[in-house]
Amino acid sequence: MIVLAMMKAPHPIPYQGSKRLLAPAILAYFPKNSLRLLEPFAGAAGVSIAAVLKGRADRVVLNDINEPLMCLWKCIIESPEIIAAAYARLWKAQLGRQREYYDAVRSKFNETHQTHYLLYLLARCVKASVRYNSEGEFNQSPDNRRLGMNPETMQWHIFAASRLLKGRTTITVGDYRQTLNSAEPEDVVYMDPPYQGVCLNRDPRYISLLDFEVFTENLRSLKDRQISFILSYDGKTGGKSYGRPMPEDLGLTHIEIDAGRSSQATLLGRNHNTVESIYLSPALVERIGMPSKKHLTIAPKQFSLLAQDAI
Ligand SMILES: C[S@@+](CC[C@H](N)C(=O)[O-])C[C@H]1O[C@@H](n2cnc3c(N)ncnc32)[C@H](O)[C@@H]1O
């Protein structure tokens, strides 16, 4: 574990909304012992990777509704050589004809759902952002300024992620509720649902809008079952905030993490800080012995100290 803790965190899947930069601040609210971590909205699994790397989780359950994405995770963990070689082949074959090549790979992915195509598309598409049309086809455009992660760098990320997660990871595909139903009081559940304000598509296979009432009803059930959970929700950039506030009766502790200036805001010449909200369940607050407060704010300076310490 000491060797793992000194390693840089691998992130083989470029993914918009990844919590890899925020993960150190989130880990600060984990119990000290190593436990099973459930991520029902796993995406690129930024928090699970950091938790295993830092010895805070010894088993992880990664679930997402996006089936090709979870198949990609399976390949990365179980067959790292194969997926790294397939990515390198696609990346090299694109050189000099990136635009047409991207379109051809996108069509092949939509026909076959093969995982190496998805990895290439995520590495090359605008903002590493998954977008599907109403037929469930990936329709995001390429970022024509970038070639996507260099194959040697990608190989490092894939191999390192595989070493970290192999033998301790269960991958499932489906709705978040199936994962929540399997949670036990000894586990920690980390939830990063899609923001309410961001509607990506209407295809139920990749549904990105959560029904708020159904979601909070599920949180209520977790509370009643004494489950320790951390929820990322209601991100704010500048004055803009997304999502409705969490109901009072859930008894959640709200922590606002001021992560400093967002890179997008800087690019647009705006003076905005990104404030990320996390909510802790009553069972977790009690388990980590935190003085029960309803609201806490972590300033950018504290955030960068946490970030340096953890990754
Ligand atoms: C904000 S992203 C999670 C990002 C992740 N924390 C990371 O570090 O990359 C939300 C994820 O929820 C998934 N999702 C959307 N609706 C879902 C549902 N009903 N059940 C499970 N996953 C869902 C999306 O496919 C997406 O990958």
Side-chain angles (χ1 to χ4, degrees):
M1 203 46 81
I2 292 168
V3 177
L4 284 184
M6 284 158 55
M7 191 171 119
K8 190 176 132 222
H11 292 289
I13 305 184
Y15 206 66
Q16 187 183 49
S18 160
K19 287 294 182 287
R20 68 192 177 92
L21 298 176
L22 201 65
I26 294 171
L27 286 191
Y29 300 100
F30 269 52
K32 295 280 176 249
N33 59 322
S34 206
L35 40 76
R36 185 172 78 141
L37 171 61
L38 311 183
E39 268 211 77
F41 303 93
V47 169
S48 288
I49 289 171
V52 174
L53 188 66
K54 290 289 156 186
R56 307 307 273 281
D58 54 14
R59 280 161 305 144
V60 293
V61 176
L62 302 181
N63 175 77
D64 200 284
I65 203 162
N66 186 332
E67 187 171 7
L69 180 70
M70 298 325 276
C71 292
L72 175 57
W73 264 125
K74 240 183 186 341
C75 288
I76 289 173
I77 296 170
E78 301 298 332
S79 327
E81 306 83 5
I82 295 175
I83 187 80
Y87 175 81
R89 270 199 307 279
L90 293 174
W91 191 91
K92 286 178 190 152
Q94 72 173 345
L95 297 174
R97 49 174 176 149
Q98 291 88 288
R99 185 66 183 85
E100 312 89 88
Y101 199 77
Y102 178 92
D103 290 347
V105 171
R106 194 171 59 184
S107 302
K108 282 194 175 162
F109 172 70
N110 285 329
E111 275 162 37
T112 64
H113 279 182
Q114 286 187 29
T115 54
H116 58 303
Y117 296 139
L118 178 61
L119 184 58
Y120 171 82
L121 292 175
L122 286 172
R124 285 279 335 269
C125 73
V126 173
K127 295 186 193 158
S129 155
V130 181
R131 293 273 189 280
Y132 294 96
N133 64 18
S134 54
E135 269 83 58
E137 291 170 337
F138 190 98
N139 67 350
Q140 183 61 289
S141 315
D143 180 342
N144 290 319
R145 295 160 308 171
R146 295 159 62 232
L147 292 172
M149 196 189 288
N150 174 290
E152 283 82 49
T153 313
M154 179 60 90
Q155 177 172 319
W156 181 85
H157 283 277
I158 289 175
F159 279 50
S162 172
R163 273 199 302 279
L164 212 53
L165 298 177
K166 199 168 182 165
R168 56 177 116 227
T169 305
T170 306
I171 305 278
T172 58
V173 179
D175 187 68
Y176 68 99
R177 284 169 284 188
Q178 74 182 13
T179 312
L180 297 188
N181 289 340
S182 67
E184 303 284 345
E186 305 76 45
D187 301 329
V188 167
V189 181
Y190 171 65
M191 279 171 280
D192 184 18
Y195 288 128
Q196 283 176 287
V198 185
C199 178
L200 303 182
N201 62 75
R202 290 174 203 286
D203 186 327
R205 280 174 297 172
Y206 307 108
I207 195 146
S208 0
L209 266 185
L210 280 198
D211 181 317
F212 186 76
E213 304 301 337
V214 174
F215 183 57
T216 50
E217 211 31 67
N218 277 278
L219 297 184
R220 225 162 256 126
S221 151
L222 291 180
K223 180 191 174 202
D224 294 346
R225 288 157 49 210
Q226 306 277 311
I227 304 293
S228 299
F229 68 82
I230 302 177
L231 166 67
S232 279
Y233 204 68
D234 187 22
K236 273 198 240 168
T237 303
K240 208 168 162 209
S241 87
Y242 312 89
R244 279 159 60 180
M246 281 293 137
E248 285 283 316
D249 69 292
L250 290 172
L252 303 175
T253 299
H254 180 195
I255 299 172
E256 286 198 305
I257 302 168
D258 188 340
R261 187 90 67 89
S262 84
S263 52
Q264 204 186 357
T266 309
L267 275 178
L268 297 172
R270 294 187 193 130
N271 195 18
H272 285 164
N273 276 15
T274 300
V275 179
E276 296 275 354
S277 273
I278 59 172
Y279 294 82
L280 311 187
S281 73
L284 178 62
V285 167
E286 196 182 323
R287 189 165 160 195
I288 62 177
M290 190 175 146
S292 193
K293 278 196 187 153
K294 280 184 95 176
H295 197 111
L296 260 177
T297 304
I298 308 289
K301 217 172 183 176
Q302 282 165 285
F303 172 72
S304 61
L305 284 175
L306 282 171
Q308 278 167 23
D309 171 55
I311 302 220

